[in-house]
Each structure stands twice: as C-alpha cells, then as structure tokens.
Amino acid sequence: MKPIRTERLILRNWEERDRELFHRINSDERVMEFFPFRRDRATADAKMDEVRAWIDEDGYGFAAAEIAATGECIGFVGLSGTEDIDVLAPGTIEIGWRLAPEFWGKGYVTEASEAWLAFGFETLAVDEIVSFAVADNHRSIAVMKRLGMRADPGADFDHPAVPDSHPHLKRHVMYRLSREDWQARKGWLARAIPGKV
C-alpha cells in the first residue's frame, strides 16, 4: 500500500521492526479486554505476516499506525473485508483499530480513521463503511460516534467467532456510515473548521 499521511501519523504496511508491538497489542489484557483470545509471540508473528500479505494484495487493511515525528508504531487502524463473518452481507467493509494503551485518549484513532474513511469512500468508492464492537466496549463506540457513524440496532449480532465460553463477548453492536452521510459531514466540518478537511 502507498503510505497515508495525516497530521501526526503515517499509516503503512507492517514492517519487521513492528513485531514486538504487534504481539503486545494482541496479548495485552487491557487491549484485548473484549476479545476471547490472546496471541503468543508465534501466533502474533504469523498473524502479522498474514495481515501484511493481505495489505500487499489489496492495497489496504488493518495497517500499522506510526507517529510521524518519532517513527514509533502505536498499533493499527484500517479497513478490512468481513468475509470471515458470515452473518454480515457479502462485500461489507469495516473500519477497525487497536492501539497500545499508552496511546489511548490522544485522538490518534479518530485522526487515522478519518483518513481511512476518505480512502474508502473516494479511492475504493464503497457506498458504506461499518464498525462493530462488543456492546460494553464504550471506548470504541465513542470513536464510532465521533466519526459520524450511526447505530443500527436491527443489525446487532452475535459474533460467530466468539465461543460459548465467553457469552458476555458475543453480542456486537453495529454502526454504519454511508457515503452520503460522510460527504455531508465532511462539508459541515470544512465550514465549521476551515482548513481541517
């Protein structure tokens, strides 16, 4: 993929130097609070290789987010297909993120997500981008709302990959953003905060 620059970040494919961080965000108890698994180093390395190959092939994915000023990788933000979630319509594109805890609360996810929404609607020309999370994951849901996404309670679902051993993690809430709503919001932001969009 061609790296995407934002005000503070570089969104790029994964590199060898990112392996420790990738493992950490896939094994840290706070980061993975709403997931039924933790990855050891070997499975994290294998997953990073898989994600990197997908990004090479598709030109986008759950890409590394790097602080431009320091070169430090902080986690991932990106777009992905949802073919592995059979309860979602074919062709559904989601936006998702996962950062190391020390980078929470600094606006990085929102900043990177805005860039990825622009990529999805302008470059990929998709009609809609969705996001979903465990119903109790209030931090991620707050980001979805900041991005202008709207709840769709009728589309909430039990995630098929969550085992019965973790019933409290099964129910996921669905948020959606259409291209039309994104364009309208982009226009509003441009008028409200000149030079930001």
Side-chain angles (χ1 to χ4, degrees):
M1 67 174 276
K2 180 180 178 182
I4 299 172
R5 293 292 300 256
T6 70
E7 185 176 352
R8 297 177 293 170
L9 301 171
I10 299 172
L11 310 175
R12 56 165 175 79
N13 205 347
W14 296 94
E15 300 175 359
E16 286 301 310
R17 63 190 173 104
D18 303 321
R19 288 193 182 277
E20 183 176 344
L21 181 281
F22 191 90
H23 173 236
R24 190 154 70 86
I25 64 171
N26 281 278
S27 59
D28 183 279
E29 288 299 324
R30 289 172 294 171
V31 178
M32 300 299 287
E33 177 182 0
F34 298 102
F35 292 84
F37 61 88
R38 308 291 182 267
R39 290 192 172 101
D40 61 22
R41 181 58 186 262
T43 55
D45 281 350
K47 189 65 177 181
M48 193 185 101
D49 291 340
E50 185 179 10
V51 173
R52 184 162 58 178
W54 289 340
I55 293 171
D56 277 340
E57 182 176 342
D58 297 335
Y60 66 93
F62 287 146
E66 171 187 311
I67 297 176
T70 66
E72 185 175 14
C73 185
I74 63 175
F76 72 72
V77 185
L79 302 176
S80 179
T82 58
E83 293 79 12
D84 58 332
I85 306 175
D86 58 11
V87 298
L88 301 182
T92 298
I93 297 292
E94 70 160 313
I95 189 166
W97 45 80
R98 192 175 301 164
L99 297 191
E102 63 267 30
F103 302 107
W104 294 355
K106 301 179 187 300
Y108 289 130
V109 167
T110 302
E111 179 178 328
S113 294
E114 294 282 10
W116 277 114
L117 290 174
F119 180 89
F121 290 124
E122 294 175 347
T123 302
L124 298 182
V126 299
D127 293 324
E128 179 184 67
I129 294 172
V130 307
S131 194
F132 44 86
V134 172
D136 289 335
N137 188 347
H138 303 297
R139 287 190 303 271
S140 281
I141 292 168
V143 174
M144 297 172 200
K145 291 177 179 178
R146 280 197 295 276
L147 295 173
M149 306 187 92
R150 297 182 182 181
D152 182 4
D156 292 354
F157 65 99
D158 288 346
H159 201 299
V162 177
D164 292 340
S165 57
H166 293 72
H168 61 293
L169 300 180
K170 277 185 172 287
R171 196 64 176 170
H172 280 57
V173 293
M174 174 69 76
Y175 278 71
R176 301 181 183 276
L177 183 63
S178 68
R179 185 207 308 262
E180 293 75 17
D181 285 347
W182 174 77
Q183 289 172 332
R185 180 173 173 273
K186 182 180 172 188
W188 177 86
L189 283 173
R191 291 189 299 275
I193 315 171
K196 287 296 286 184
V197 178

